[in-house]
Amino acid sequence: MAKLLEVKNLKTQFFTQDGVVHAVNGISYAVDKGETVAIVGESGSGKSVGVMSLIRLIPQPPGKIVDGEVWFDGQDLLKLKEDELRGIRGNRIAMIFQDPMTSLNPVLTVGRQITEALELHLNMNREQSRKRAVQLLEMVGIPGADARLDDYPHQFSGGMRQRVMIAMGLSCNPQLLIADEPTTALDVTIQAQIVDLVTRLKEELGMAIIWITHDLGVVAGMAQRVLVMYSGYIIEEAQVEDIYANPRHPYTLGLLRSIPRLDLGRQKRLIPIEGLPPDLLELPSQCPFAPRCAFSIEKCWQENPPLEPVGPNHRAACWVDISNVKVIVSEGQETSQ
């Protein structure tokens, strides 16, 4: 399948009073047309900074994209002039942010916030843009869409505000939709509705999606491929079925063990990942996960492993082959054999 987006050696840093924060450390990946790619990792792993760097939404200063290329449909987005990028951002590439209450303007009606992009990018007049906004709100399942165009964000529930954000993101029929933890602040029922909605709209519109989340459980039914990030690096990449069936990095294994399971009969205690995330002020010379890893060997403390193939369409950055490690889990306790 043809590549829509190709990211090469992307590095983003923040220059602060305390020192240089190495937020994204040379990540490379691609997204095919119509594909859903999930980027997974805990807070501070570089997920959001990585995708915001793609469309240059990093505040500069203190942030700076210090290296890399971002090829989108034949253009390097990092080399475009600001007015050229503005024609792509919000039009061909759209983004849904984590908290709709801070992303939506509280003093403008939701109708005006949707029609603004339509008038800017598609040259619609006020009547045309309003008609299209009604269609978009109906598409995302907001009842009484015509009347609700004149409501303000605070008059919507959290789930409905997120639906408005999705409508705004889809307004110009983007080729790529970036969703930055769009279900984090919602309860599980609304989460499921939003995931189902985005999946359905993806099929109808044929767009590609980058879905950012800290929860591997959310992406099981919607993504084709998963990237796992830790300490600003991609430490594993595989098809979603392979990630669940055959994780090849200890951090991915830890994320999977922390997902509540309803199919195991008697409830087992979740196994946490011990320790704290690394200090991003220091670029590691060792594997950044080594201090928290139950499988680390001497080499892990000496050299940061590269992301290399470990199977068909499967890459991992680990010196240890954990597929050969049998792990017995009983009542929340684990032993390695």
Side-chain angles (χ1 to χ4, degrees), residues 51-271:
V51 294
M52 291 178 72
S53 298
L54 304 182
I55 47 179
R56 287 163 39 191
L57 288 179
I58 298 298
Q60 302 185 50
K64 185 178 181 181
I65 301 168
V66 297
D67 197 8
E69 303 172 10
V70 179
W71 290 93
F72 175 74
D73 209 16
Q75 294 179 291
D76 186 354
L77 301 183
L78 302 186
K79 293 183 178 178
L80 294 182
K81 296 179 180 178
E82 187 60 36
D83 59 337
E84 294 175 322
L85 183 62
R86 200 176 295 121
I88 294 175
R89 190 169 53 204
N91 182 15
R92 297 168 64 194
I93 300 177
M95 189 160 182
I96 303 171
F97 295 94
Q98 180 172 344
D99 185 0
M101 202 57 199
T102 57
S103 304
L104 293 169
N105 191 325
V107 299
L108 293 178
T109 65
V110 298
R112 182 58 196 139
Q113 295 183 64
I114 296 173
T115 57
E116 184 177 22
L118 296 169
E119 293 168 11
L120 175 64
H121 293 298
L122 302 184
N123 297 317
M124 291 185 176
N125 60 35
R126 185 61 62 90
E127 182 180 349
Q128 291 171 328
S129 62
R130 186 177 175 90
K131 183 177 180 181
R132 171 65 174 159
V134 171
Q135 293 173 345
L136 288 164
L137 291 186
E138 290 174 344
M139 184 189 301
V140 298
I142 293 181
D146 196 6
R148 302 230 64 181
L149 277 184
D150 298 317
D151 287 345
Y152 290 86
H154 72 272
Q155 295 174 276
F156 290 78
S157 67
M160 287 297 178
R161 283 195 294 269
Q162 198 56 277
R163 288 171 185 263
V164 171
M165 286 294 298
I166 294 170
M168 291 175 64
L170 299 178
S171 60
C172 298
N173 296 321
Q175 295 168 273
L176 174 65
L177 179 69
I178 301 173
D180 186 8
E181 303 209 44
T183 62
T184 297
L186 307 175
D187 65 57
V188 290
T189 303
I190 305 301
Q191 278 187 19
Q193 293 176 4
I194 296 298
V195 170
D196 289 344
L197 170 65
V198 173
T199 303
R200 175 175 59 82
L201 294 174
K202 169 189 175 293
E203 297 300 324
E204 291 178 3
L205 303 175
M207 61 187 175
I209 296 175
I210 297 177
W211 188 280
I212 314 300
T213 182
H214 62 275
D215 185 357
L216 266 171
V218 170
V219 303
M222 67 176 303
Q224 283 83 55
R225 196 154 44 90
V226 179
L227 310 177
V228 183
M229 287 194 69
Y230 186 79
S231 187
Y233 297 92
I234 295 175
I235 51 92
E236 187 161 9
E237 176 185 0
Q239 299 297 309
V240 65
E241 299 88 355
D242 208 12
I243 281 283
Y244 283 86
N246 185 31
R248 297 297 296 273
H249 195 284
Y251 178 63
T252 309
L253 184 63
L255 292 177
L256 289 169
R257 286 172 171 169
S258 65
I259 301 173
R261 296 280 298 271
L262 299 177
D263 59 342
L264 295 180
R266 194 157 59 91
Q267 179 63 44
K268 304 290 184 183
R269 245 171 53 202
L270 300 180
I271 303 173

